[in-house]
């Protein structure tokens, strides 16, 4: 069964460094999402992406964050200058359709630790 | 930011018990309500996507109802089994943004 994959599973970085989290969505899906979950808190929506541009973004998704679909298969989240509070589990998701029939498939997540 | 609340936070039941939990969400600008099942160390798995007031969906022993006017959804599990142990998350969709509740952690004891 097709699945969303994410790499790496765990990333440790120093504060101020740039990180790129990678996702490979399911191949026929058109909509892509990033979420994060800080330990002990709710899952938070970061951004949705369709047709090579951002569809929606949350208040969390500031200038430090960017997303890209560089090659038609990968979907990346870049954090330019990491802060301690960026430490979280980051989930990628994809769906075939947006709107009312939007069943999302989640990847296993990348645990980001900022020291 | 939409505030989505789930209750209870956790639930312990015996195998064979039926159980239900609640997701409440703002009814204004409602688009869709999603339920997910999330087992430890795995990815959230979509259970239901519900859009219309009065919607009822069923998948095996799990079913869900939706009331968009008052802003709540119930998830029911009939005859709980140990393999139902997981966190059940709901998320309210506003166009292409999603707002999650904190989840209900269900533990089913054999």
């Amino acid at each position: 069964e097709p699945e969303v994959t994410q790499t790496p599973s765990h990333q440790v970085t120093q504060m101020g460094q740039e990180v790129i989290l990678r996702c490979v969505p399911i191949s026929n899906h058109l909509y892509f999402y990033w979420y994060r979950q800080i330990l002990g808190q709710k899952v938070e929506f970061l951004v949705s992406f369709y047709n090579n541009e951002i569809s929606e973004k949350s208040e969390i998704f500031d200038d430090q964050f960017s997303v890209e679909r560089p090659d038609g298969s990968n979907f990346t989240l870049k954090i330019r200058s990491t802060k301690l509070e960026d430490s979280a589990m980051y989930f990628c998701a994809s769906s075939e359709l947006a709107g009312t029939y939007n069943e999302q498939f989640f990847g296993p997540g990348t645990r980001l630790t900022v020291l | 930011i939409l505030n989505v609340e789930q209750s209870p936070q956790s639930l312990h039941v015996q195998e064979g018990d039926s159980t239900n939990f609640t997701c409440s969400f703002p009814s204004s600008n409602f688009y869709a309500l999603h339920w997910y099942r999330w087992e430890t160390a795995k990815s959230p798995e979509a259970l239901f996507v519900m859009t219309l007031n009065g919607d009822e969906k069923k998948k095996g022993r799990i079913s869900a109802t939706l009331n968009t006017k008052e802003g709540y959804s119930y998830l029911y599990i009939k005859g709980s089994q140990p393999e139902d142990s997981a966190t059940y998350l709901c998320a309210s969709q506003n166009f292409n943004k999603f707002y999650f509740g904190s989840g209900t952690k269900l533990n089913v004891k054999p």
Side-chain angles (χ1 to χ4, degrees):
Chain A
E1 188 172 319
E3 57 182 20
V4 177
T5 59
Q6 289 185 242
T7 53
S9 55
H10 191 187
Q11 172 97 46
V12 181
T13 190
Q14 295 289 327
M15 193 168 59
Q17 295 296 305
E18 173 183 285
V19 293
I20 297 177
L21 309 183
R22 290 184 166 80
C23 168
V24 179
I26 293 173
S27 61
N28 65 332
H29 285 187
L30 301 176
Y31 295 84
F32 315 112
Y33 309 85
W34 281 103
Y35 297 89
R36 78 174 185 190
Q37 187 182 34
I38 295 169
L39 189 65
Q41 297 187 22
K42 292 181 180 182
V43 173
E44 298 173 293
F45 167 78
L46 293 177
V47 66
S48 56
F49 190 87
Y50 168 68
N51 200 27
N52 278 323
E53 58 183 33
I54 289 173
S55 174
E56 296 267 10
K57 61 181 181 178
S58 71
E59 298 76 12
I60 302 165
F61 195 88
D62 61 21
D63 292 344
Q64 291 298 312
F65 291 89
S66 62
V67 288
E68 201 178 29
R69 190 153 158 79
D71 57 14
S73 62
N74 287 284
F75 177 51
T76 62
L77 175 70
K78 184 194 287 187
I79 309 174
R80 288 195 183 83
S81 177
T82 49
K83 303 175 193 140
L84 294 176
E85 55 265 35
D86 292 327
S87 294
M89 196 77 172
Y90 288 80
F91 292 97
C92 169
S94 69
S95 65
E96 193 175 357
L97 302 166
T100 51
Y101 301 106
N102 185 4
E103 182 174 317
Q104 294 185 48
F105 293 80
F106 279 76
T110 292
R111 181 170 298 285
L112 176 65
T113 302
V114 182
L115 302 175
Chain B
I1 295 177
L2 291 177
N3 195 26
V4 177
E5 299 291 339
Q6 288 187 249
S7 62
Q9 199 171 14
S10 65
L11 199 51
H12 297 260
V13 302
Q14 287 295 135
E15 182 175 355
D17 287 351
S18 294
T19 187
N20 65 85
F21 5 102
T22 307
C23 172
S24 60
F25 53 89
S27 52
S28 59
N29 297 317
F30 174 81
Y31 205 72
L33 193 282
H34 298 249
W35 279 102
Y36 297 90
R37 181 173 181 277
W38 195 0
E39 288 184 71
T40 305
K42 293 189 177 179
S43 320
E45 173 198 345
L47 285 173
F48 305 114
V49 182
M50 307 172 76
T51 57
L52 299 175
N53 186 44
D55 252 357
E56 288 189 33
K57 296 230 172 161
K58 190 172 178 183
K59 192 182 277 192
R61 294 180 291 98
I62 305 177
S63 59
T65 60
L66 180 68
N67 183 323
T68 60
K69 292 184 179 174
E70 295 180 41
Y72 64 84
S73 174
Y74 292 137
L75 188 82
Y76 300 91
I77 302 179
K78 187 177 175 183
S80 305
Q81 300 296 307
E83 57 264 30
D84 296 328
S85 297
T87 296
Y88 292 83
L89 276 182
C90 70
S92 179
Q93 180 181 352
N94 182 325
F95 187 56
N96 229 7
K97 277 185 178 179
F98 296 79
Y99 299 90
F100 282 79
S102 302
T104 292
K105 188 169 183 177
L106 175 67
N107 182 33
V108 182
K109 292 180 244 184

